[in-house]
Amino acid sequence: MFSFEGDFRRKPVQSLRGASKKEERSSLLKRAQEEREKRENQRLKQENAVKIQKFYRGYRVRKQQKEAMRVQFDRLQLMLQKGPFTVDNLQLLVSTICQFYSDNQDGERLVWLSQQLVKHKDTYLKFLQADPRNGQQQVKNILLLCLRHLRAISSSGEPIAIPMRMLEVFTSSTSIADTNYLKSVWRWLIENDYFECMRCLLERKVPASLEKSHTPPTPVAASIFELILTPIRFAEACKDTLFSNQVLGSVCKSLLCPAYSEQISQFLIPAMAYGKYPFPFVDLITTLVVQCRESGIGEGKNKGYGRTLDRRTIRVDLTPWLLGAFVTLGAKQIESLSQAKVSEYVEVLQYLLPSLPSANDPDDDGDSDSEEDMEVEDYASGAGGLAELREDCLSALDSPSHVTHIVGLVGRGDAQLLYAVAVICHTLMAHHRYSIHRRRLLYSLAYNPQFIKNLWQCCVGQTMVTATRTETSLIMMLSRGLTMSEREMGRIVPLLSTFCSMFSHSLHTLHDADFYGDDTGNASSMPFNLLELIQMVIALRDVCLGIIELAHPDAKPTINDDYRVALNRVGVPMRKSNAKEISKLTKQWGYLFKVTAGLVRQVYTRDARRSFCPKDLWLSDRVKIHADGSSQLYRSQASVFTHRPFRTMQSLSQVNEDDGGPPLSNKDVKNLVILTELPFVVSFHERVKILQKLINADRADYQGEMDHFMSANSVTVNIRRNYIYEDAFDKLSPENEPNLKLKMRVQLVNAAGLDEAGIDGGGIFREFLNVLLKTGFDPNRGFFSQTTDRLLYPNPQSKFLMEDFTKHYYFLGRMLGKALYENMLVELPFASFFLSKILSRHSGDLDIHHLASLDPEMYRNLLFLKHYDGDVGELGLDFSVVDNQFGETKIEELKPGGKNIPVTASNRIEYIHLMADYKLNKQIRHHCTAFRNGLSDLINLEWLRMFDQQELQVLISGAAVPINIADLRQHTNYSGGYADDHPMIKMFWEIVENFTDEQKRQLLKFVTSCSRPPLLGFKDLYPALCIHYGGNEPGRLPTASTCMNLLKLPEFKDFASLRDKLLYAIESGAGFELS
């Protein structure tokens, strides 16, 4: 900086090159970066060039060395051919060829050498024993070359005899006595795809289009099969579990797991199962049990055993093809298995069966998982696809031998075995959609009371440890609607769904004597006593409510990362759900809810028919459904109040433009599920209010004043009083009046043909409908008959009275529906079985349990026949019934040729059910169908299905409860000078309050034509009861106009006169005539 001349300032440097070039900063940086990248690319090119040269030089040297070795091999070959044989030269040839062998060039050399080795095998093996380690490796290498050669020439026409002979000789226990030596050789070959090579040979050297047979179709097939069996038999003889697992695991992986070729399905598997040498099926079970537990794909408590497999054990994919081979082998050998091995066999089936895709079921609602569909397409590439395999597997599982052994084990109560059987049954019913009666295994287990009882105990015994380290029952978790991990769901769902399905099926055939424990003399088919059943049904009721909460949560919980980490630390697994998992979960909840709710409803039906549960047992304090609250459930247009599959309910909470209304809230969706599936958990009073709210909303659309203002949109008919039924049937037919939901006005015509005085403001119509219904249901008219308890049901003989009898039942159903629609009570006592047929969701057919309400004597006789200990043939019964048609006897066959089929001890159960079906269903099927259709024209049957048959009778006729006089007085009107504080009115109410219950009912019937009060109190009586001044004539009796609910009460002088006249009037049963 400083110069020696003393100048302390730097002199400017002047350039004579002219002005310097000014460059932008960005371009300078870009240019510098490009130069760096250029230098880097140049360096990489240099390195890659060196690597390529290195690789090529190595390849060239190796190629030169192999060529030199080939020359050496050929020279030694000539020496061996010309000169005397020496084992040293043979050993040198083997060592040399292993270093240069190529499939394309050295096949002939390997075949020649193999011939020499087979020819001098004893000498060669003795020579190798001097150096076991190197000799063993040399044998491994030469055998591996033979495998490579066999695979290379499998598609050509070259002979394979010599390499196959080589494999046979040098792996034979007769040639090599050292077991460990052979184990090592076999491990080497198996790890190098020995069975893959055998499969390749089998598929390419054995012709296709075979018939299924265990006999080898060609000598080559026999040789290949022998090579396949050799290591399997050797492993069986060794009694080494790890080695056996490795061998059989490789057999499964290479031969049994992939899709079958024709050679595999038509020859190899039958030969393994039914061939000359028995397949070591017990060892296969042991291998697959370990594999299945390790894989953990099953939904059981064996899931996640940890890494228990040896590193040399080959992992096996659990495919439907493996299942097919497994059950084929099992069908042959299950008879010889011990109970312990049968248990393990069932456990393997538990894991394998879910891998079998179900058939494309048209009833699948069209929403099967796309992943499942892809699996079907992938598997379908096999011979014949999966259809034949599926049928073969399921048929084998349903064989008598399988069923006998499985059913024989389940009675022991082994929890692990019960779980395995439950998974199998759950897969058959939920995944493959088999009804229980279609599969021998399913119905054999369903009719096993001990299995049902053990299964429930197993369900109750399933527990989990919560985050707070407390042990909680999984059923309790379900009941509370608490989320569970996939593993815990896998433990409880198959058990619970199988139990509910099985027990529900068995209840269908369980007679009341067995169910209620009346028959103590015989072995009962009922797994539980009534006390146990009550406790069980409470738990299942709560499980249904919990599933509703799980499937329709009010909110999706959000968990932050810190909380997720904390839960993982205490052992609570957290998983992220995608749309596909949610859909799968919804289907799972849907199926579990379907079977559980079905069982609960079935027990409730029994209780409704013959009570055994405490009062209010079915009500749940967890359900808060109130008709008074606002809800989209009760809207009239595009009504959503109908039964739907459980898993489709969530769509109701989404906007749907075609629906005509706003979406339902999540609370409404849950309430809809409860009201359509489990209505009995809501009080009867609340359900009646809901029904009336639904009807009122619907009636407002058809009878609302604003909707039909200044319009004549109503039904007006003229009815002759003496021909009420005939005229009504004609004028109110669907052809003349298609819509009876409109207001109806009736003009009555007297016997002289003149219109009766008065304008119908609703009262005349109600009187008309009341008389019409009593006339139509009168047994003397012939459409309805009476049971021994004087209860009404369709007359089976009515079809002989007139040809169009179904039109009359349709009409009567319509009229009863109109009464319900207009909130009218009519005293028509119906048989409970008939009301059950009306409420049925299906065809309306009932089982034998309802026969007691139709014909108690026949029901007792059929039960006597069921338990008859003598010779049933001596009773002289056959499969026919004598029908009396107005004095003409006719024989009806219960089944084709029934009159020639005697009833015996073996077929009496069938006879009992056919006879009950004839009486309950076949005789009156058309009658009931027409009646249901007519009723549904006015009232949505789904609304009525909120009630059981006894409650429906209450809806029709009212409840037989004491009349609340205070409520009646509070809702009574007065006219003609009377008022509530009038002395006559005070005296009237004092008298009525002192009436007996029977006299109160007579008074109510006298005034309103119905002896029972309205279901929700007298505030719903329409028109309201009115007491009108009836004059002051001393001899005049009280009279009533039932069409207006009007009591005309004369004024009497004293208390006694009023009481006597009132009692005379109401007990006489007359009305207008007393005026």
Side-chain angles (χ1 to χ4, degrees):
M1 180 174 180
F2 298 98
S3 67
F4 290 97
E5 286 80 13
D7 296 331
F8 61 89
R9 289 185 178 178
R10 176 182 294 177
K11 295 180 179 180
V13 178
Q14 297 183 354
S15 175
L16 302 178
R17 295 178 299 176
S20 61
K21 183 179 178 182
K22 192 173 183 180
E23 187 174 6
E24 295 288 339
R25 181 174 183 274
S26 60
S27 66
L28 176 63
L29 294 176
K30 182 178 180 181
R31 181 167 56 81
Q33 181 180 2
E34 289 175 351
E35 290 176 356
R36 282 196 302 271
E37 290 177 352
K38 184 177 180 181
R39 290 193 300 271
E40 178 66 17
N41 290 336
Q42 187 67 27
R43 185 184 65 80
L44 290 176
K45 286 181 181 180
Q46 184 69 21
E47 289 182 1
N48 292 336
V50 172
K51 290 179 181 178
I52 293 172
Q53 292 172 6
K54 179 181 178 182
F55 177 81
Y56 174 72
R57 285 195 298 269
Y59 164 76
R60 186 177 62 182
V61 170
R62 286 193 299 273
K63 186 175 180 181
Q64 290 173 352
Q65 289 295 324
K66 288 182 179 180
E67 288 299 329
M69 289 181 180
R70 283 191 181 92
V71 173
Q72 180 184 0
F73 182 90
D74 293 341
R75 187 168 57 251
L76 289 172
Q77 180 181 358
L78 287 175
M79 290 174 56
L80 198 62
Q81 289 174 347
K82 292 180 181 180
F85 169 80
T86 61
V87 70
D88 291 335
N89 289 339
L90 188 61
Q91 188 269 343
L92 184 59
L93 285 170
V94 173
S95 177
T96 303
I97 197 172
C98 289
Q99 299 180 54
F100 69 80
Y101 178 80
S102 170
D103 293 331
N104 298 327
Q105 302 179 41
D106 304 312
E108 293 182 1
R109 293 184 178 90
L110 179 63
V111 170
W112 176 84
L113 181 58
S114 297
Q115 287 177 323
Q116 301 303 316
L117 290 171
V118 171
K119 183 178 179 181
H120 304 286
K121 66 179 189 304
D122 295 333
T123 306
Y124 178 66
L125 288 173
K126 287 180 181 179
F127 177 78
L128 294 180
Q129 288 176 357
D131 187 3
R133 182 177 179 182
N134 293 330
Q136 186 182 100
Q137 189 59 45
Q138 196 173 88
V139 171
K140 291 179 182 178
N141 291 337
I142 194 66
L143 292 181
L144 181 58
L145 295 184
C146 290
L147 278 182
R148 287 175 53 185
H149 181 64
L150 284 172
R151 175 169 284 191
I153 66 174
S154 60
S155 300
S156 65
E158 296 183 36
I160 60 173
I162 297 301
M164 289 181 64
R165 179 62 178 162
M166 183 75 179
L167 289 170
E168 179 184 350
V169 168
F170 285 92
T171 58
S172 171
S173 56
T174 57
S175 301
I176 303 175
D178 189 346
T179 302
N180 293 328
Y181 187 97
L182 279 180
K183 277 186 191 179
S184 178
V185 171
W186 276 121
R187 281 199 177 100
W188 171 262
L189 294 177
I190 289 170
E191 289 168 0
N192 287 277
D193 299 331
Y194 174 81
F195 289 109
E196 287 284 351
C197 179
M198 294 299 106
R199 181 185 179 107
C200 185
L201 287 176
L202 188 68
E203 292 174 349
R204 295 178 182 178
K205 292 299 182 181
V206 177
S209 303
L210 301 172
E211 291 185 0
K212 185 172 286 190
S213 172
H214 64 274
T215 304
T218 61
V220 173
S223 300
I224 297 173
F225 182 63
E226 183 64 26
L227 285 177
I228 291 173
L229 283 186
T230 299
I232 297 174
R233 290 203 297 263
F234 175 72
E236 181 185 17
C238 286
K239 304 299 182 183
D240 184 338
T241 303
L242 290 178
F243 179 66
S244 177
N245 288 346
Q246 185 179 12
V247 173
L248 293 175
S250 181
V251 170
C252 293
K253 181 180 179 180
S254 302
L255 300 176
L256 306 182
C257 290
Y260 296 158
S261 61
E262 287 196 29
Q263 292 86 349
I264 300 290
S265 61
Q266 303 297 95
F267 162 61
L268 180 61
I269 293 178
M272 285 180 170
Y274 303 101
K276 181 179 179 182
Y277 301 103
F279 189 85
F281 187 62
V282 171
D283 294 342
L284 179 63
I285 292 175
T286 303
T287 299
L288 291 180
V289 162
V290 177
Q291 290 279 349
C292 290
R293 291 173 178 174
E294 177 66 20
S295 67
I297 66 168
E299 297 178 331
K301 57 186 178 182
N302 292 328
K303 181 176 179 180
Y305 260 55
R307 302 188 180 279
T308 58
L309 293 183
D310 185 83
R311 62 180 181 84
R312 292 170 295 183
T313 302
I314 297 172
R315 297 185 179 272
V316 177
D317 295 328
L318 306 184
T319 68
W321 311 103
L322 178 59
L323 171 65
F326 188 68
V327 296
T328 301
L329 294 168
K332 172 68 167 58
Q333 302 198 35
I334 193 171
E335 297 287 350
S336 59
L337 295 179
S338 64
Q339 285 191 349
K341 283 301 171 184
V342 172
S343 297
E344 291 184 355
Y345 173 73
V346 173
E347 185 180 348
V348 175
L349 289 178
Q350 159 203 342
Y351 289 92
L352 288 178
L353 190 59
S355 69
L356 186 65
S358 61
N360 294 328
D361 192 347
D363 296 328
D364 197 15
D365 298 333
D367 59 353
S368 59
D369 290 341
S370 57
E371 183 179 353
E372 220 171 75
D373 296 338
M374 288 175 59
E375 288 178 358
V376 173
E377 291 173 5
D378 292 341
Y379 287 139
S381 61
L386 276 177
E388 183 178 354
L389 176 70
R390 179 175 178 272
E391 290 304 317
D392 289 345
C393 291
L394 297 179
S395 297
L397 281 177
D398 228 27
S399 64
S401 58
H402 275 81
V403 173
T404 301
H405 283 81
I406 293 175
V407 173
L409 287 176
V410 294
R412 298 186 304 167
D414 181 2
Q416 184 172 335
L417 178 65
L418 284 171
Y419 177 80
V421 174
V423 170
I424 293 171
C425 296
H426 176 71
T427 304
L428 291 175
M429 293 183 289
H431 187 53
H432 295 281
R433 289 176 171 77
Y434 276 115
S435 301
I436 292 179
H437 68 274
R438 292 176 57 191
R439 288 288 156 186
R440 180 186 288 109
L441 175 63
L442 295 180
Y443 64 69
S444 298
L445 292 171
Y447 295 136
N448 187 325
Q450 190 61 46
F451 171 69
I452 299 294
K453 188 166 188 174
N454 291 342
L455 198 58
W456 173 247
Q457 292 173 350
C458 191
C459 291
V460 175
Q462 296 296 314
T463 61
M464 66 173 288
V465 178
T466 64
T468 58
R469 300 300 181 186
T470 58
E471 194 172 32
T472 305
S473 167
L474 292 183
I475 285 187
M476 184 63 68
M477 295 285 290
L478 275 178
S479 301
R480 295 173 180 172
L482 302 176
T483 56
M484 295 183 291
S485 67
E486 184 178 359
R487 179 175 180 269
E488 306 304 337
M489 286 173 53
R491 288 173 53 200
I492 189 61
V493 170
L495 283 169
L496 189 56
S497 65
T498 301
F499 167 76
C500 291
S501 299
M502 296 286 187
F503 189 34
S504 178
H505 183 80
S506 67
L507 283 181
H508 283 297
T509 59
L510 204 63
H511 294 162
D512 283 351
D514 293 326
F515 183 87
Y516 292 98
D518 299 337
D519 187 5
T520 57
N522 299 301
S524 176
S525 302
M526 178 66 177
F528 309 99
N529 59 44
L530 293 182
L531 181 59
E532 293 172 333
L533 188 64
I534 291 172
Q535 295 171 346
M536 175 204 305
V537 81
I538 292 174
L540 294 179
R541 178 204 64 188
D542 292 340
V543 164
C544 290
L545 298 176
I547 293 174
I548 294 174
E549 294 292 337
L550 287 169
H552 305 281
D554 290 329
K556 294 182 179 179
T558 57
I559 300 176
N560 58 36
D561 293 338
D562 293 337
Y563 192 58
R564 190 184 300 275
V565 170
L567 289 176
N568 284 329
R569 286 177 178 173
V570 296
V572 179
M574 304 299 296
R575 57 190 179 90
K576 298 180 180 179
S577 300
N578 54 32
K580 187 176 293 186
E581 288 180 349
I582 293 174
S583 175
K584 180 181 178 182
L585 194 61
T586 302
K587 289 182 180 180
Q588 190 175 34
W589 289 138
Y591 179 78
L592 181 59
F593 180 83
K594 173 186 172 184
V595 296
T596 308
L599 175 58
V600 174
R601 284 197 303 269
Q602 199 170 351
V603 177
Y604 173 78
T605 302
R606 292 266 191 169
D607 184 56
R609 194 173 69 247
R610 178 180 166 186
S611 178
F612 66 92
C613 293
K615 185 181 179 182
D616 297 336
L617 170 86
W618 298 99
L619 301 182
S620 173
D621 54 3
R622 294 170 52 186
V623 178
K624 308 295 183 183
I625 299 180
H626 301 289
D628 300 332
S630 61
S631 172
Q632 290 296 325
L633 281 180
Y634 315 127
R635 66 184 184 221
S636 56
Q637 296 181 352
S639 175
V640 296
F641 199 101
T642 184
H643 182 264
R644 291 177 173 86
F646 179 80
R647 58 190 176 86
T648 65
M649 288 289 192
Q650 194 62 45
S651 62
L652 295 176
S653 62
Q654 302 170 0
V655 177
N656 187 355
E657 296 179 357
D658 300 331
D659 188 49
L664 298 182
S665 66
N666 199 50
K667 179 181 178 181
D668 283 345
V669 172
K670 291 190 286 188
N671 290 346
L672 178 58
V673 175
I674 292 172
L675 290 174
T676 55
E677 298 284 356
L678 303 166
F680 40 81
V681 302
V682 182
S683 68
F684 174 69
H685 183 266
E686 205 65 42
R687 281 178 281 144
V688 172
K689 291 168 65 176
I690 291 172
L691 174 65
Q692 292 192 357
K693 196 166 185 177
L694 288 166
I695 292 176
N696 291 338
D698 190 61
R699 195 164 57 208
D701 286 346
Y702 293 96
Q703 301 180 12
E705 295 180 1
M706 296 303 296
D707 292 339
H708 305 292
F709 181 68
M710 295 297 291
S711 69
N713 201 355
S714 62
V715 177
T716 303
V717 290
N718 293 331
I719 302 294
R720 295 175 294 173
R721 184 174 284 277
N722 294 340
Y723 300 94
I724 285 183
Y725 182 84
E726 291 78 6
D727 287 356
F729 176 74
D730 176 47
K731 295 181 179 180
L732 297 179
S733 63
E735 294 79 12
N736 294 328
E737 296 295 344
N739 187 3
L740 288 186
K741 292 184 177 181
L742 302 173
K743 273 187 177 179
M744 185 179 293
R745 305 185 189 280
V746 178
Q747 178 63 59
L748 293 175
V749 180
N750 60 24
L754 301 176
D755 291 346
E756 294 185 356
I759 298 175
D760 186 9
I764 297 177
F765 158 70
R766 299 173 77 84
E767 180 187 2
F768 152 75
L769 188 56
N770 190 34
V771 175
L772 171 62
L773 288 171
K774 290 182 178 179
T775 304
F777 287 94
D778 187 352
N780 294 323
R781 184 165 287 272
F783 295 124
F784 277 77
S785 295
Q786 289 182 320
T787 66
T788 55
D789 297 329
R790 304 185 65 82
L791 302 177
L792 297 171
Y793 71 96
N795 181 7
Q797 309 301 328
S798 61
K799 58 185 176 182
F800 303 109
L801 294 175
M802 54 194 70
E803 295 181 359
D804 57 348
F805 71 99
T806 55
K807 292 184 178 180
H808 289 270
Y809 285 98
Y810 182 87
F811 169 73
L812 290 172
R814 246 181 145 203
M815 291 301 101
L816 183 61
K818 183 65 173 174
L820 290 171
Y821 195 75
E822 300 294 343
N823 197 21
M824 278 183 60
L825 295 179
V826 287
E827 293 192 68
L828 295 173
F830 291 106
S832 64
F833 84 91
F834 175 60
L835 296 176
S836 297
K837 292 174 80 69
I838 292 175
L839 296 174
S840 173
R841 274 204 176 96
H842 307 292
S843 61
D845 287 352
L846 303 178
D847 52 32
I848 190 174
H849 311 307
H850 295 269
L851 184 61
S853 67
L854 171 63
D855 192 338
E857 184 179 358
M858 174 172 283
Y859 181 70
R860 287 193 298 268
N861 291 338
L862 291 178
L863 289 184
F864 169 79
L865 175 62
K866 176 187 176 184
H867 300 293
Y868 183 60
D869 295 331
D871 186 1
V872 178
E874 292 179 354
L875 300 178
L877 299 174
D878 56 41
F879 281 80
S880 65
V881 59
V882 178
D883 199 2
N884 187 3
Q885 301 174 0
F886 296 101
E888 181 182 350
T889 300
K890 184 178 179 182
I891 297 178
E892 295 281 351
E893 293 185 334
L894 299 178
K895 67 178 184 177
K899 62 183 178 181
N900 298 320
I901 303 175
V903 177
T904 63
S906 60
N907 63 13
R908 59 181 167 184
I909 299 299
E910 180 187 10
Y911 171 80
I912 290 171
H913 286 279
L914 286 177
M915 178 62 77
D917 179 67
Y918 177 80
K919 290 291 185 181
L920 287 169
N921 304 315
K922 188 176 180 181
Q923 271 192 320
I924 56 175
R925 177 171 288 119
H926 299 297
H927 312 62
C928 294
T929 301
F931 190 90
R932 275 163 51 110
N933 292 339
L935 181 62
S936 64
D937 187 55
L938 273 295
I939 298 287
N940 187 341
L941 293 184
E942 286 295 337
W943 301 350
L944 296 182
R945 291 189 181 113
M946 288 191 293
F947 308 93
D948 59 42
Q949 66 271 19
Q950 295 180 2
E951 293 170 339
L952 179 57
Q953 181 65 64
V954 174
L955 289 178
I956 295 171
S957 303
V961 295
I963 297 174
N964 188 340
I965 298 301
D967 182 43
L968 176 61
R969 183 173 184 176
Q970 183 181 355
H971 297 92
T972 298
N973 298 327
Y974 305 95
S975 62
Y978 280 152
D980 188 61
D981 56 355
H982 191 282
M984 190 67 190
I985 297 301
K986 290 182 178 180
M987 189 163 48
F988 169 79
W989 287 117
E990 184 181 353
I991 292 172
V992 171
E993 286 176 354
N994 292 320
F995 275 176
T996 64
D997 288 342
E998 180 63 26
Q999 290 170 338
K1000 291 176 183 178
R1001 283 193 292 270
Q1002 289 175 341
L1003 172 63
L1004 190 61
K1005 185 172 184 178
F1006 178 74
V1007 180
T1008 66
S1009 77
C1010 183
S1011 65
R1012 296 178 179 178
L1015 296 176
L1016 300 180
F1018 287 100
K1019 64 183 175 60
D1020 285 343
L1021 182 65
Y1022 179 82
L1025 180 69
C1026 181
I1027 302 178
H1028 180 73
Y1029 179 72
N1032 57 2
E1033 300 178 17
R1036 188 178 179 88
L1037 292 171
T1039 59
S1041 297
T1042 55
C1043 61
M1044 297 297 295
N1045 295 336
L1046 180 67
L1047 174 63
K1048 298 176 182 179
L1049 183 66
E1051 189 172 2
F1052 297 96
K1053 295 181 179 179
D1054 54 31
F1055 186 91
S1057 298
L1058 174 58
R1059 188 177 188 280
D1060 293 342
K1061 296 290 185 180
L1062 187 58
L1063 284 175
Y1064 181 82
I1066 65 177
E1067 291 175 350
S1068 65
F1072 289 106
E1073 299 87 357
L1074 298 179
S1075 300

